[in-house]
Amino acid sequence: MERRVTFGGWVCPALLLLPQMAVTLVFFFWPAAQAIEQSLLRGDAFGLTTHFAGFQNFSLLFNDPDYLASFGVTAVFSFSVAVLALAPGLLLAVMADRVVRGAAVYKTVLLMPYAIAPAIAGVLWMFLFNPSIGVMAASLRWLGIDWNYLLNAPQALLLVILAAAWKQVSYNFLFFLAGLQAIPASLIEASAIDGATPRRRFWTIVFPLLAPISFFLLVVNIVYAFFDTFGVIHNVTQGGPEQATEILVYKVWYDGIVGLDLGGSAAQSVVLMTIVIVLTAVQFRFIERRVHYA
Amino acid sequence: MMVSAPRSAVVPHAVLIAGIVLVLFPLFVAFVAACDTLPDILSAPMSLVPGPHFFHNLAEALLAGTAKTSGQPVWSMMLNSLVMALAIAAGKIAISVPSAYAVVFFRFPLRRPCFWAIFVTLMLPVEVRILPTYKITADLHLINTYAGLTLPLIASATATLLFRQFFLTIPDELVEAAKIDGAGPWRFLVDTVIPLSKTNIAALFVILFIYGWNQYLWPLLVTDTPSMTTIVIGMRQMIGNGDTQTEWQLIMATALLAILPPVAVVVLMQRWFVKGLVETEK
């Protein structure tokens, strides 16, 4: 889409663009270029010299069992977070769409976790499930479950998944609710007159109409689980026990900042960039399609 | 609808109340812990009845902090978070309104490349380029400064895209009328475009404020003096590594203080918040 009527000259737009271009060049293109350059270099053991290493960093990376394990952890983590954030979001939105009384109160409370930092959501859940003092940990022990996420890998992964998903339900709830409210009432009424039960109305009319927004939310949730959950991991498990919760973005940080493996961390950055670009491309293709058919 | 409403309303209310309990329970337990003394919390399982020490703990966290934060009081962390959140929100809006205006209302050489250069930043959050961004920030001597804390997070195109979308809906007639009246591009921006964008600016500001307040990885890297600690990072330092006694009652009081401003923004400015969230993602 383009405008017909515009202003002339180039000095004025250049000045208007200058601040954003400057910030983008310095803090975006320069570091991104350096990440790619670093990923192709290798330093010696003392970090004094570097030499061009081609794709050596990448081949080391993909032959590193820890990195491949981190890929696996990230896949399980992201998928679980997405499902556990989407399903309750949809359920709550469908229910909120049906009630009249108290609807505003429900909506307000259900939106609150969106405002809470993932790092803080992690701390709240860690406090509930702390093996020695947590209220929920005590309940689990009372039920006969041997709960100690500090030692038990699946329990640790479960805890960070729950904390990360808890925060994200709000977002999905809001988008599903907006999607539901955009469905014309006449469609639902027509099928009701034809004798369709509420369950059938949901699965044959409402759910298909929500499919595009569900797909969009799936991508957004996966991106969230990939990148915005660093604070949850860093606060709750520090990637442990034994790297059971070490997702890719945590490993980039750990290997680069703590381990000082610059080439390896840069190669990981490049891999992550590729993943985001693919996810974003998928998302934009989909949005374009939706615009076409809408 | 009216016939089926009384019968079918029970299930939705039950599900929604269950949802609310799930949302509020972790917050409630944090509140209870902030009302207790440390021995109360450590005598597991702690009681779920709030104790009488809430204001005492709140005051201690706000004014004194904990030993692990080198005695940095939480009020100064909140101030840092506030400066960061406001700078990110105001900064992004201040650079994106002019740049979106330039790409929409002008025809000039390199317009498309400029737009794509901005657009591509959408794809790479700061998390994937942390190490080189850190290095550049260090080379520019911006470690432990507000500029270093905020500028790399301002370099993203979400706001520019939102304003571009909105500016494209401004009728051509308005531009023509402004030209006939002899208004140049600056006048048109200040007198017409910005006033028309008020609701979009407000909505975006709310979203960006929450985004800025809740930042974690970047402040963790780029600040290491106590006086620059933000509240979200300060909480991490309070927890420490379990070497000394963890002061949970102060940590939970701090958690509530860290949650309060962004939650208040969501609750009080819900209309802008919802608008901002739904529109930035389109």
Side-chain angles (χ1 to χ4, degrees):
Chain A
M1 197 172 150
E2 299 279 327
R3 300 197 68 89
R4 277 188 299 109
V5 187
T6 54
F7 294 104
W10 62 270
V11 179
C12 192
L15 285 175
L16 289 164
L17 271 170
L18 189 68
Q20 175 138 33
M21 290 310 286
V23 173
T24 306
L25 282 177
V26 172
F27 291 104
F28 182 85
F29 282 101
W30 192 7
Q34 284 213 343
I36 294 169
E37 189 199 343
Q38 276 287 341
S39 73
L40 301 175
L41 299 175
R42 258 206 106 63
D44 62 38
F46 304 102
L48 298 175
T49 59
T50 52
H51 63 272
F52 183 75
F55 291 101
Q56 196 192 346
N57 283 319
F58 291 95
S59 64
L60 280 173
L61 207 55
F62 284 102
N63 286 315
D64 176 4
D66 282 353
Y67 189 66
L68 298 177
S70 176
F71 248 102
V73 169
T74 310
V76 173
F77 176 79
S78 310
F79 183 74
S80 309
V81 168
V83 170
L84 282 177
L86 282 167
L90 176 60
L91 178 69
L92 289 167
V94 170
M95 295 305 164
D97 191 40
R98 281 187 200 165
V99 301
V100 179
R101 196 175 302 163
V105 177
Y106 289 130
K107 192 175 164 189
T108 304
V109 175
L110 290 172
L111 288 181
M112 274 165 41
Y114 176 83
I116 299 174
I120 292 173
V123 173
L124 295 179
W125 281 75
M126 176 171 73
F127 186 64
L128 287 177
F129 284 92
N130 183 298
S132 50
I133 58 167
V135 174
M136 292 308 290
S139 316
L140 288 172
R141 252 197 308 282
W142 185 77
L143 288 170
I145 297 166
D146 181 20
W147 173 267
N148 189 346
Y149 76 87
L150 296 170
L151 300 174
N152 183 314
Q155 288 179 1
L157 192 55
L158 181 67
L159 182 58
V160 289
I161 288 169
L162 288 176
W166 176 75
K167 190 216 123 68
Q168 189 68 2
V169 170
S170 298
Y171 185 90
N172 298 330
F173 166 76
L174 180 67
F175 274 81
F176 277 131
L177 189 60
L180 284 166
Q181 287 172 346
I183 296 175
S186 55
L187 272 180
I188 312 285
E189 276 161 18
S191 69
I193 290 167
D194 288 347
T197 61
R199 179 184 298 266
R200 192 154 167 180
R201 292 204 290 264
F202 178 79
W203 289 112
T204 56
I205 297 175
V206 176
F207 191 71
L209 285 173
L210 284 181
I213 204 158
S214 308
F215 181 74
F216 157 77
L217 285 174
L218 181 67
V219 177
V220 171
N221 278 267
I222 288 175
V223 171
Y224 161 78
F226 257 77
F227 301 108
D228 292 343
T229 52
F230 174 85
V232 178
I233 308 279
H234 190 241
N235 266 314
V236 180
T237 63
Q238 280 101 60
E242 292 189 4
Q243 295 149 11
T245 55
E246 196 174 59
I247 59 170
L248 291 170
V249 70
Y250 189 82
K251 198 169 162 57
V252 167
W253 170 82
Y254 188 86
D255 289 355
I257 302 290
V258 184
L260 291 174
D261 174 12
L262 300 184
S265 177
Q268 290 185 35
S269 280
V270 173
V271 173
L272 276 176
M273 285 185 204
T274 316
I275 294 173
V276 200
I277 287 169
V278 169
L279 282 173
T280 315
V282 166
Q283 191 175 329
F284 271 87
R285 268 199 74 99
F286 145 74
I287 286 173
E288 243 165 45
R289 256 215 325 263
R290 187 173 58 167
V291 171
H292 268 284
Y293 287 89
Chain B
M1 283 299 261
M2 279 170 72
V3 182
S4 61
R7 217 192 66 212
S8 66
V10 178
V11 176
H13 280 287
V15 172
L16 289 166
I17 289 168
I20 282 182
V21 168
L22 267 175
V23 166
L24 292 182
F25 185 67
L27 296 171
F28 174 72
V29 174
F31 171 69
V32 172
C35 294
D36 282 344
T37 60
L38 189 55
D40 289 339
I41 297 170
L42 296 180
S43 67
M46 61 183 259
S47 148
L48 284 183
V49 182
H53 306 285
F54 182 63
F55 290 103
H56 175 263
N57 289 335
L58 211 56
E60 191 177 342
L62 268 175
L63 303 175
T66 68
K68 286 191 180 118
T69 54
S70 322
Q72 193 66 24
V74 171
W75 69 261
S76 93
M77 299 178 191
M78 291 181 82
L79 200 63
N80 285 334
S81 290
L82 184 71
V83 171
M84 175 172 71
L86 291 177
I88 289 174
K92 263 201 183 187
I93 289 170
I95 66 169
S96 60
V97 168
S99 64
Y101 184 69
V103 292
V104 171
F105 287 97
F106 289 90
R107 290 288 166 276
F108 55 93
L110 298 180
R111 192 177 71 98
R112 294 231 140 237
C114 282
F115 175 68
W116 281 103
I118 295 167
F119 179 78
V120 78
T121 61
L122 262 193
M123 296 189 182
L124 300 179
V126 77
E127 281 80 4
V128 308
R129 51 188 163 94
I130 40 171
L131 213 60
T133 312
Y134 175 76
K135 196 173 158 287
I136 282 157
T137 311
D139 290 347
L140 296 171
H141 305 291
L142 293 176
I143 302 295
N144 286 319
T145 64
Y146 287 120
L149 200 52
T150 53
L151 282 175
L153 295 169
I154 289 174
S156 142
T158 40
T160 315
L161 279 184
L162 175 74
F163 286 120
R164 177 182 171 267
Q165 294 299 93
F166 174 68
F167 291 168
L168 285 172
T169 67
I170 292 176
D172 278 327
E173 287 75 13
L174 273 180
V175 191
E176 274 163 356
K179 283 184 155 177
I180 291 165
D181 289 348
W186 294 102
R187 268 299 284 281
F188 186 65
L189 173 67
V190 173
D191 289 351
T192 309
V193 173
I194 290 179
L196 281 175
S197 315
K198 259 192 204 142
T199 57
N200 285 292
I201 291 175
L204 196 66
F205 193 89
V206 169
I207 297 299
L208 291 175
F209 179 86
I210 296 169
Y211 165 83
W213 182 276
N214 288 342
Q215 281 304 311
Y216 188 81
L217 179 55
W218 185 246
L220 182 73
L221 280 176
V222 87
T223 61
D224 55 16
T225 61
S227 64
M228 285 299 293
T229 305
T230 65
I231 189 164
V232 183
I233 300 300
M235 277 194 65
R236 168 81 208 118
Q237 293 168 353
M238 287 181 182
I239 295 166
N241 297 316
D243 42 355
T244 48
Q245 194 79 287
T246 304
E247 295 179 277
W248 284 107
Q249 81 285 14
L250 297 183
I251 293 174
M252 288 300 143
T254 308
L256 296 177
L257 288 168
I259 289 168
L260 188 66
V263 167
V265 163
V266 167
V267 171
L268 299 176
M269 304 172 91
Q270 202 182 112
R271 219 183 88 217
W272 305 126
F273 162 70
V274 169
K275 183 178 160 64
L277 200 59
V278 173
E279 287 187 2
T280 41
E281 294 295 352
K282 279 187 179 163

